Amino acid sequence: MDILKILSRGTKKSASQLTIPKPIAKPSTPQLFNDPTRGVKRKRNEEAASTLEADDDLDEINFFAPRAAKKPSPEPEAKTAPKEDAPAPVLDDEEVRQVLRSHRLKFTLLSSHEEKKKKKVKKSKKKEEAKPKAKDSKKQLFPQPMTSFSELRSAYNISHRLGENLAKQGYRIPTEVQLGSLPLLLQPDRAISNSAAEELNFKTENGIDFVAVAPTGSGKTLAFLIPAINSVLRRRAGETSLKERLLEVVVVAPTRELAHQIVNEGRKLAQGTGVKIVGMKKGMQIPTEGQAAVDEESAAESEDEADSAGDDSEGESEGEGEQKKATITKTDILVTTPLLLRNYLKSRTLPTVKSLILDEADVLLDPLFREQTLGIWSACTSESLRLTCWSATMGSSIEGLILEQLKSRESPEIPLIRLVVGLKDTAVPSINHKLIYTATEQGKLFALRQLLHPKSSDDSMPQMRLPFLVFTQTIERASALHDELKFDIPAEAGGSARIAALHSSLSDTARSNIVARFRAGEIWVLITTDLLMRGIDFRGVNGVINYDVPTSAAAYVHRVGRTGRAGHEGGVAVTFYTTEDVPYLKSIANVIALSEKQAGKSSEESVPKWLIDSLPKVGKEEKKKLKKHGVESRRGAKAAKITTRSAWERRKENNRRGAIAGSKKRKTQEVVNDTQGQDDGEWDGIGD
Ligand code: ADP
Ligand code: MG
């Protein structure tokens, strides 16, 4: 079979199905406290989607409910505080199941003891696959969901100020992952009845360990920050003498950009509560036990991806300029990258930490970060430490690792509960996927230019609206592509300032600068590596281009998850591929097919079945290798060469363009509109 022929056929087919994306509209914010029938006993046998009175509103951020006509948006100024008098009802079992079903929430009790042995019995795969299913369904749990944020106050007794902060930021209706996880984390004994817990032989009174697998952009950050902030406040409220700050919560995230984002989110939520959230910084000292002397140099050594995670604005101990040796930063919640905290800790421990939160847990427990993450975990020596893990993807081996670790430290009654929202390891249903065969490396550049200049495109290309992200396999290729493209946006439209490359070999300041400019809408095309694929929330990203194919299905899910966030429709994910990428395609094509099936799109929309069938299967070991190394021919400095033209030629052409542009000064505005093919005036930046 000539794979090349088949692949070209694939291009044609998908080309004829390309659709012009709608401009991305902000989902109108659903009103939170507009629920007149709350507490009224629901009728049985209603349609699944109407189990919640607010379901129509929920459509805005409910990834899985059937799409209905959109309601006019509620009054934007409705900043009312939660109705504290309405007691939240405890739903009966049937109602709970219906709500969970309609939002596609599945809770499973993962028992650490039985699971451990399973790893070794993996010989006969087929038998394995059949068995866990039956087991899983036995261990399925049906905890109370939280159908409206007002319940946070009425049923879960969260701080008044925290509730107000949520409302102030326009959060009205909880997303699926929030709906499912907040009750369990805030009050597990309310969420799960005693009898249900007893039946399955666990207790909830001392909290739970938790794994949440929920789509990209579905609000996992709030789902872990609300309980984190609330637990600090609860302790303070309960103790009269110990009002001082104790480091209670550690949040670990794989990159400094993500850590920084979490700090900012957290500070908005904690405003006025007295809870302090700090990002770990190079040279910063935190209260620990054990070897007290501070080894400044070793802390400062911690380089690489893990630098200053937080925002400088609030650090109370940083002094002006130089670090003060004796000053210890006291905080309630610390957000850090793994290497930075691990290097600081060495043999020190964090005995006061009660909650360890791993955001993007599967990557934190991947071999790349495993040692550091496990090091931090074992430094949290408190017996009452609880772990929560969050990601859009979670391999079974990572789950196995979590179970094993927990087994070695927990008393058996603490349950590990897993929530999966929708189908595991799929992309957000609202994204439109396009696989584009470009034959050669040069073909990719050509195709990207067609996307950048939609006017010159034929209808074989999807139309993409700026801003978008472009992912490459290596730092060198990101830089080279940046060099190649930086003159593509005319000077009158901002020129090379509109395009930037972001990767880990840039300085810390340069990195935060670029992120800030992209958020502010000053940069339109951001070329990056997998550094940015996890967790980063740029609200208005209209498209993601995989210039180089992602090296795993999970990488695909996370990269394309930078668009279509918080219910935004119309995001486009384009993946270029050449013959060399064929080994990677099968798992990507499968993810796309599954995601579209879940979204209720007609089957074979982006990837026809015959294409999936014709792609070669790749074994597990091979997949690991592919993931680790990426496409061989794109590695190393030589492979970074993306253009065939010399820098001199490109500069010359740019100068020529500059001269032409100069002579057209008076027509600047028309030129801008013309070349962008869109009304830039309407685009008001990406937002934070
Ligand atoms: P995830 O971690 O699941 O990828 P984030 O926590 O980064 O997603 O959230 C994605 C976006 O959704 C953020 O911009 C956040 O402000 C927004 N968001 C979160 N929860 C809600 C909600 N309940 N209603 C509206 N928007 C929300
Ligand atoms: Mg996240």
Side-chain angles (χ1 to χ4, degrees), residues 149 171 173 178 215-222 537 539 565-566:
F149 275 137
Y171 298 123
I173 307 273
Q178 295 159 2
T216 51
S218 69
K220 294 184 283 295
T221 319
L222 277 190
D537 185 49
R539 266 190 209 175
R565 298 180 73 74

Side-chain angles (χ1 to χ4, degrees), residues 5 10 88 122 152 161 175 198 212 259 262 264 271 302-303 328 427 458-459 520 651 659 685:
K5 262 190 193 158
K122 263 193 174 168
L152 282 175
R161 188 61 199 256
T175 62
E198 257 166 43
I262 296 168
N264 285 340
Q271 233 171 38
S302 41
E303 254 308 323
I328 290 200
D458 56 46
D459 60 0
R651 206 172 306 127

Side-chain angles (χ1 to χ4, degrees), residues 434-454:
K434 309 287 170 209
L435 284 175
I436 295 178
Y437 178 62
T438 62
T440 60
E441 281 294 322
Q442 279 304 304
K444 289 182 179 177
L445 195 54
F446 180 71
L448 183 54
R449 288 216 154 94
Q450 279 185 300
L451 292 172
L452 253 181
H453 306 289

